[in-house]
Amino acid sequence: MTVKLTVVRPGALTTVQDRGRRGHAHLGVPRSGALDAPAMSLANRLLGNAPGAAVLETTLTGCALRPDRGVTVVVGGAPCPVTVDGRPTAWGVPVRVPAGAVLDAGGVTAGVRSYVAVAGGIAVEPVLGSRASDLLSGLGPAPLRDGDVLPLGAPAHQPALPDAAPWPAPPTELTLPLRLGPRADWFTPAALRTLTSATYRVSQHSNRIGLRTEGPPLERVSAGELASEGMVLGAVQVPPDGRPVVFLHDHPTTGGYPVIGVVAETALAAAAQAAAGTPIRFTVA
Amino acid sequence: MTPGRSVGAPTQSRSVEVRPAGRHALLVELPDAERTGAFHAELLRRRAAGTLPQVEEIVPGARTVLLDGVAHPEELARRIADWDVPSRADDDGGVVEIFVRYDGPDLGQVAALWGVGVDEVAARHSAYTYRVAFCGFAPGFGYLTGLPAELHVPRHDTPRTRVPAGAVALAGPYSAVYPRATPGGWQLIGTMPDPAPLWDLSREEPALLTPGTRVRFVAETQDGTP
C-alpha cells in the first residue's frame, strides 16, 4: 500500500526535485532539478534510495510533514533543527518518523536550502521524465501548500549505509570559477578585470532561476542588442544594469543578454547554499 | 577551451564561428537566420544518421545553435568548422495550420505601423509561410520567422502583466502564439481559439511548434469558420 505524506507546514518555498529534465531545452523546457544536487544524492544514499530519487527542497524556513505510516527520512543540505512531534532529533542522518507523527525541518541556521528525503522517494507523476517542479515554466508539481498529500515509492529493503555523511558546510564566502565566453568579447577589458577582482555579494533577489549579485556594474563595449541564443546552466548573464546573474537550474533556455562566462557546474551546489549577503569572488578557471 | 586556445578564439570558416560556453558546450554562430536554420537541420540530420557525437541538447537561437552536454567540445568545434552545410529547401517538412481570429487589442496600432487598414492586417499576416526559428520563453512558445522586414513592429515599451493563452503576437522579426497566460510585451493581433495543442503533455512530442516546423496562419471568418 502506498504511504502518503501530508503537508502540515509548506514553508516559504518547498518543491519536489530530482535530477531534472534533459533533452528538452529546444522546446523551452529548463533542466530544473535540485539546486544542491550533491545534498540530494547524499540524503538519498543514506536511505538506500536511487541517487536521483525525488526529494523535497525547502527554502530558508523548512517544512513539516505527517506520514500515514512509519517512514525513515533524512533532512540534510542546509543545517536546521529537526523535530518529530516536537522532540528534537538528528539532522543529516536517517530518522524514523512513526505513523501520524509530524516531522518538522525547521528554519536554516546557515545556508538556504534543506533537503528532506524519504525512503522510497516522493512518487508524484513524472513529467517529461522528471518529477521536478520547474518554477519558470510551471512543469511538474506546484510548490507545496498546506494539506497537499504526496505519495511515496517503495523503500529499499537494505539501505546501503555509508560510514559517515560528509555534509559540506554552507559557504561563508563563495568562489565561482568560470570560463570566459561565449560573449566575453562584448565587455571592456576593464569589465573583465572588475569581474575577477571586485567582491560581489549574493542579492536577496536570488531564486531557483538565478543567483543575482550586487557589486560594480560590468561595462559593455557597445550597447547593441544580442539576438536570443541558447543558455547553459551556470551561464553568467549580464543584463543592462551590469550586475552578473549566475543561471541556476530553472534558468530560461534562451536569453537575450550577453554571457560573459560560464561557472563550472560543480560550483553551483555551493552557490545554491549561499545566503543573501555572502561575498562572491569570480575566478577565471 | 580558455580564450586564446583552439575554440576560445572564434573559429572562422565559411562564416561559422564556434564559441565556447563552459566546459561542455559550444555556441555556433551563423551570419543570418536562414543559415542558422540550415545548420540546425544539418545537426539533426547528422544526429539521426548517427554521425554526430553524443550531444545532450541542441538549442537553436536567432543566429546561433547551442550544443550542450558535449563530451569533447574542442574536437567537435574543429569538425564543425569543416562542415559543408547545404541550404534548406523551402518545402522541407510539413506545414502546421493555425486558425486565428484577428481580434487582438493591438490590431489598430499594427495596422497604423504597416500603413494599412485594420482589415488588411489579417490578410497580410496570413499570407506568408513561417518557420519556427527557435523556442524559449515558455514551453511550446515558438519564435516564427517569415514576416518581411517592412512588416516588423516594435515591442510595447511596457509589457502587459497578462497576455492570455492563444494570443497571436508580433515583435521585431517574429510572430508567435502564447501557449499559456504570461506577462508579455508583444503586439497582440489575434487569438488562436483553441491553444491547447500548442503544448500537450499527453502527446509524445508535447510541443506543436518545434524548431524547423513550417507554419501557416489561417484567418477565421466572422462566423467562426475558417
Side-chain angles (χ1 to χ4, degrees):
Chain A
M1 188 184 284
T2 309
V3 183
K4 292 188 166 62
L5 286 179
T6 300
V7 176
V8 177
R9 183 177 69 81
L13 173 69
T14 302
T15 56
V16 177
Q17 296 297 338
D18 58 13
R19 285 174 161 170
R21 302 179 175 83
R22 305 290 181 97
H24 305 287
H26 63 290
L27 303 179
V29 175
R31 180 186 300 197
S32 194
L35 292 194
D36 185 345
M40 169 185 70
S41 303
L42 178 53
N44 276 328
R45 216 146 46 83
L46 289 167
L47 294 166
N49 289 349
V55 302
L56 298 177
E57 178 184 282
T58 71
T59 313
L60 296 171
T61 60
C63 71
L65 310 157
R66 188 174 54 231
D68 64 351
R69 290 167 168 246
V71 293
T72 306
V73 305
V74 169
V75 180
C80 63
V82 181
T83 62
V84 173
D85 271 350
R87 282 187 295 279
T89 183
W91 173 90
V93 295
V95 166
R96 190 73 189 162
V97 183
V102 172
L103 167 81
D104 193 294
V108 298
T109 54
V112 178
R113 296 174 170 97
S114 304
Y115 290 85
V116 181
V118 188
I122 309 289
V124 295
E125 204 54 42
V127 175
L128 297 177
S130 164
R131 298 182 164 93
S133 163
D134 166 5
L135 298 182
L136 186 75
S137 60
L139 296 180
L144 297 196
R145 283 164 306 203
D146 258 330
D148 281 354
V149 177
L150 302 168
L152 296 182
H157 293 295
Q158 290 281 317
L161 294 180
D163 295 338
W167 295 102
T172 51
E173 186 190 66
L174 190 59
T175 301
L176 296 178
L178 59 78
R179 292 189 173 209
L180 292 177
R183 299 294 176 188
D185 55 354
W186 278 54
F187 297 88
T188 63
L192 294 173
R193 281 195 300 276
T194 300
L195 178 68
T196 52
S197 61
T199 295
Y200 286 85
R201 283 180 191 281
V202 176
S203 156
Q204 60 175 341
H205 300 296
S206 301
N207 54 25
R208 283 187 44 86
I209 294 168
L211 185 82
R212 292 173 183 277
T213 67
E214 290 163 356
L218 300 177
E219 195 196 356
R220 274 166 49 169
V221 171
S222 78
E225 289 226 4
L226 182 70
S228 277
E229 60 190 26
M231 294 279 144
V232 296
L233 180 63
V236 182
Q237 204 192 44
V238 183
D241 72 5
R243 267 81 185 192
V245 178
V246 183
F247 272 166
L248 301 179
H249 288 59
D250 285 359
H251 72 85
T253 56
T254 58
Y257 299 130
V259 170
I260 194 168
V262 178
V263 172
E265 191 174 334
T266 48
L268 296 180
Q273 297 293 8
T278 304
I280 307 169
R281 261 181 348 106
F282 290 98
T283 61
V284 172
Chain B
M1 287 210 310
T2 44
R5 287 203 346 245
S6 68
V7 300
T11 307
Q12 300 260 3
S13 173
R14 299 190 183 90
S15 56
V16 174
E17 282 193 18
V18 184
R19 295 165 176 265
R23 196 182 287 267
H24 304 294
L26 298 172
L27 187 71
V28 183
E29 186 169 29
L30 297 118
D32 53 44
E34 188 50 44
R35 274 173 281 191
T36 303
F39 182 77
H40 177 244
E42 177 70 10
L43 281 167
L44 298 188
R45 258 196 303 278
R46 287 177 184 248
R47 185 164 67 176
T51 58
L52 187 70
Q54 180 67 35
V55 172
E56 204 162 69
E57 307 272 10
I58 298 176
V59 188
R63 281 202 303 279
T64 55
V65 181
L66 174 73
L67 299 169
D68 194 9
V70 184
H72 303 289
E74 297 187 28
E75 188 192 322
L76 182 58
R78 282 192 295 272
R79 288 167 57 176
I80 283 173
D82 291 332
W83 284 4
D84 254 327
V85 178
S87 47
R88 194 165 44 176
D90 279 346
D91 58 354
D92 179 15
V95 180
V96 170
E97 288 193 333
I98 291 180
F99 294 103
V100 183
R101 229 168 24 228
Y102 284 91
D103 60 357
D106 299 323
L107 262 186
Q109 190 169 346
V110 169
L113 287 163
W114 285 2
V116 299
V118 170
D119 293 346
E120 185 62 16
V121 173
R124 295 218 175 177
H125 184 250
S126 56
Y128 301 96
T129 300
Y130 299 79
R131 200 188 282 274
V132 181
F134 61 100
C135 295
F137 178 64
F141 188 96
Y143 291 76
L144 305 173
T145 50
L147 210 57
E150 65 270 21
L151 299 186
H152 296 177
V153 296
R155 284 178 177 76
H156 290 292
D157 288 338
T158 307
R160 287 186 169 85
T161 53
R162 186 178 182 280
V163 172
V168 177
L170 303 178
Y174 302 113
S175 195
V177 192
Y178 283 73
R180 61 192 185 110
T182 54
W186 292 28
Q187 309 265 0
L188 309 183
I189 58 169
T191 308
M192 178 183 181
D194 177 17
L198 288 171
W199 182 256
D200 180 354
L201 283 166
S202 70
R203 281 195 312 244
E204 193 175 335
E205 174 53 85
L208 179 67
L209 307 181
T210 60
T213 304
R214 293 193 303 149
V215 177
R216 217 172 279 135
F217 291 105
V218 179
E220 280 197 348
T221 54
Q222 294 287 337
D223 61 2
T225 55

